[in-house]
Amino acid sequence: MIALVRDVPDSFVNALAQEPRRIYLSKARKQHARYIAALEGAGLDVRVLPPDETQPDCPFIEDQAVIYGGRALVTRPGHPDRRGESGPVEAWLRSQGLDVTTMEAPATLDGGDVLIAGDAAYVGRSGRTNGEGIARFAAWSGLPVHPVPVSGLHLKSVASAATPRLVLVAANTLDPAMFGGCDVVVVPPDEAAAANVVPLGSAVLALAGHPVTRQALEERRLEVIEVGISEFRKADGSLSCLSVLLDGIP
Ligand code: CIR
């Protein structure tokens, strides 16, 4: 499987954040390198796009594209400052021969709001993703789509799929029963950030230092690969934000 990531620009210290804190650039770059190494260690072929200094949030590449069924939807991110990130992402996806669709105004959608699990998609209606974006995604994917009201940044800030039918949900956020046909792990409040993982088949990339979540994943026979991304957390990023997985590409 190929994973697409994007390097960290110097301007990352100015990334969007709900509660801005000082970001240490060299630490962020070390964590990013370890994230890439963890993906490679799990057998992925990692392609790295160069950073863009004019786009501080560009490492959060998940928001720029959704891959499903061997096709790519290049999104129209909800925050206007992030719309300049898409060019190289779209060009790279086209260079791989993918069928690429681009989302047009007035639709907005961040990839971080799209959770595909079981036989359906759950799409956050958030400050970043609007009703037109959800409708456009539904038409593009052909999947049954459940819109989910989101009060935080993104749906995937509080829920993600560790396997196609195993969903992690942070406690007191969403009703676990909405994920019909899936096994659901409710992550305790003091490990809420660990509800976001990156699915890698028989392994899963998980946030370091969250033992209850780790144990729940291991009990389901998943190999847990821990990664720390504290500098990216300061900019409201989760593990999955840092990559686009090209699963299902022929
Ligand atoms: C933003 O506010 O857009 C970035 N600072 C964080 C984006 C995180 N992306 C994600 O969860 N998919």
Side-chain angles (χ1 to χ4, degrees), residues 15-16 57 60 62-63 82 112 128 153-154 157 235-238 241:
L16 296 168
D57 285 279
F60 299 120
E62 174 185 48
D63 294 321
R82 298 202 55 196
R128 301 290 177 86
L153 181 62
H154 289 132
S157 309
D236 306 326
S238 306
C241 319

Side-chain angles (χ1 to χ4, degrees), residues 6-7 9 11-12 14-17 52-64 79 81-82 85 128 235-237 241-242:
R6 191 153 189 196
D7 259 342
S11 61
F12 181 64
N14 300 317
L16 296 168
D52 180 345
E53 286 300 337
T54 70
Q55 304 293 327
D57 285 279
C58 68
F60 299 120
I61 194 167
E62 174 185 48
D63 294 321
Q64 300 293 323
H79 197 296
D81 290 358
R82 298 202 55 196
E85 295 173 33
R128 301 290 177 86
D236 306 326
C241 319
L242 295 173

Side-chain angles (χ1 to χ4, degrees), residues 227-242:
V227 182
I229 55 160
S230 57
E231 299 314 295
F232 299 91
R233 300 281 310 140
K234 290 176 182 173
D236 306 326
S238 306
L239 274 181
S240 67
C241 319
L242 295 173

Side-chain angles (χ1 to χ4, degrees), residues 125-176:
R125 186 190 292 268
S126 67
R128 301 290 177 86
T129 297
N130 64 19
E132 289 90 345
I134 296 174
R136 188 77 193 94
F137 171 80
W140 172 79
S141 67
L143 283 164
V145 168
H146 304 278
V148 183
V150 168
S151 54
L153 181 62
H154 289 132
L155 176 63
K156 287 183 73 179
S157 309
V158 296
S160 67
T163 72
R165 290 192 183 274
L166 173 60
V167 174
L168 273 60
V169 182
N172 310 321
T173 59
L174 309 172
D175 177 4

